[in-house]
């Protein structure tokens, strides 16, 4: 059986981020003793259904024309990103869902949170709790933080722009430009058994509670016996 971290996971949002985007809120799901594995016919069917649900919601509009995505674009602009080039994760995934190639199939856990992101058009991320160092913090970067990624199979260290909104832990940045690019250190792999899922919204009508409840239900279905806690939006 997997062992929980010795101290509870803490997640904090800095005052600077709250000032930048007062409408921001997030739902956190902590899950232990999960069962991950390759994508399956079942997760593939869920991804296809999520794309259909998205198409109904958009009703012919482009993803960025949805009010929730427009609010995210405004937040990205506020910290200096160009949202037409640096799309939040939900908008980027929605564009893929509507394209001919469709959504990627990664692994069971990633597929499940991508289902929720696309169906509800909200940014959703998953992190391996066993690779998180200390608590997680949403801050505006100084520019000195390290973001470790890979290029051509080689380890590459990047630094966020000063003022950029990033998720980080005690070791460094885990996700750049809010939810634009996740680092490989904390990604969910087929070996992951403990995870934290972040569902992020802008404004009171983001639908985070319904999305969180649906994700928790999917996790319970695909990982019977997992211990799952859903934290109320904050």
């Amino acid at each position: 059986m997997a062992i929980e971290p010795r101290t509870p996971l803490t997640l904090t949002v800095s005052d600077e981020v709250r000032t930048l985007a007062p409408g921001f809120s997030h739902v956190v799901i902590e899950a232990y003793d999960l069962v991950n594995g390759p994508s399956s016919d079942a997760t593939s069917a869920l991804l296809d259904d999520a794309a259909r649900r998205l198409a109904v919601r958009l009703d012919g509009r482009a993803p960025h024309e949805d009010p929730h995505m427009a609010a995210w674009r405004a937040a990205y602009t506020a910290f200096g990103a160009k949202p037409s080039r640096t799309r939040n994760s939900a908008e980027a995934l929605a564009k893929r869902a509507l394209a001919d190639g469709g959504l990627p199939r990664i692994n069971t856990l990633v597929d499940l949170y991508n289902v929720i992101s696309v169906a509800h058009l909200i940014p959703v991320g998953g992190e391996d709790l066993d690779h998180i160092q200390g608590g997680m913090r949403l801050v505006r970067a100084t520019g000195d933080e390290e973001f470790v990624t890979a290029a051509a199979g080689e380890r590459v260290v990047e630094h966020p722009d000063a003022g950029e909104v990033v998720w980080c832990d005690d070791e460094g940045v885990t996700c750049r430009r809010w939810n634009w690019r996740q680092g490989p250190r904390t990604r969910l792999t087929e070996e992951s058994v403990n995870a934290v899922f972040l569902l992020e919204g802008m404004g009171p009508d983001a639908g985070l509670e319904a999305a969180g409840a649906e994700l928790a239900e999917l996790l319970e279905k695909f990982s019977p016996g997992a211990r799952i806690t859903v934290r109320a939006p904050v």
Side-chain angles (χ1 to χ4, degrees):
M1 180 176 290
I3 299 174
E4 293 189 21
R6 284 174 288 182
T7 56
L9 178 70
T10 59
L11 293 97
T12 57
V13 178
S14 72
D15 291 341
E16 290 82 2
V17 173
R18 293 289 188 193
T19 299
L20 177 80
F24 173 69
S25 61
H26 65 283
V27 163
V28 178
I29 299 177
E30 283 189 68
Y32 297 91
D33 301 329
L34 294 165
V35 178
N36 203 4
S39 300
S40 63
D41 289 344
T43 62
S44 186
L46 286 169
L47 287 165
D48 288 340
D49 182 62
R52 287 190 288 270
R53 291 166 67 182
L54 173 68
V56 170
R57 171 178 175 142
L58 292 175
D59 192 24
R61 295 174 299 169
H64 71 267
E65 295 176 295
D66 183 270
H68 191 215
M69 293 298 93
W72 271 105
R73 283 192 164 214
Y76 269 52
T77 299
F79 70 79
K82 296 181 179 179
S84 60
R85 292 173 51 189
T86 306
R87 295 181 175 88
N88 73 80
S89 65
E91 184 182 329
L93 202 60
K95 285 180 66 65
R96 294 191 69 173
L98 298 173
D100 291 340
L103 289 164
R105 274 61 171 163
I106 309 297
N107 59 54
T108 297
L109 293 179
V110 175
D111 288 355
L112 293 182
Y113 77 68
N114 280 347
V115 164
I116 300 305
S117 179
V118 170
H120 293 266
L121 200 54
I122 59 174
V124 183
E127 308 278 357
D128 190 320
L129 274 171
D130 296 322
H131 294 284
I132 294 290
Q133 303 299 318
M136 295 181 65
R137 302 178 298 280
L138 187 66
V139 302
R140 299 197 71 177
T142 65
D144 297 326
E145 299 90 347
E146 290 192 350
F147 178 74
V148 179
T149 185
E154 298 294 327
R155 182 179 185 271
V156 176
V157 177
E158 298 178 356
H159 297 278
D161 299 327
E164 181 181 323
V165 176
V166 297
W167 279 103
C168 61
D169 65 3
D170 290 351
E171 188 169 323
V173 173
T174 58
C175 195
R176 285 197 60 187
R177 293 178 190 164
W178 215 312
N179 47 50
W180 168 67
R181 181 192 292 173
Q182 183 185 28
R185 171 169 59 90
T186 58
R187 283 178 185 160
L188 295 176
T189 70
E190 291 183 20
E191 288 70 45
S192 299
V193 292
N194 300 321
V196 58
F197 300 91
L198 298 172
L199 297 83
E200 301 180 297
M202 288 287 174
D205 301 321
L208 292 183
E209 290 187 271
E214 186 176 346
L215 179 53
E217 183 179 333
L218 287 176
L219 293 172
E220 290 168 354
K221 177 181 178 180
F222 281 81
S223 294
R227 290 169 292 131
I228 298 167
T229 301
V230 182
R231 301 186 193 174
V234 291

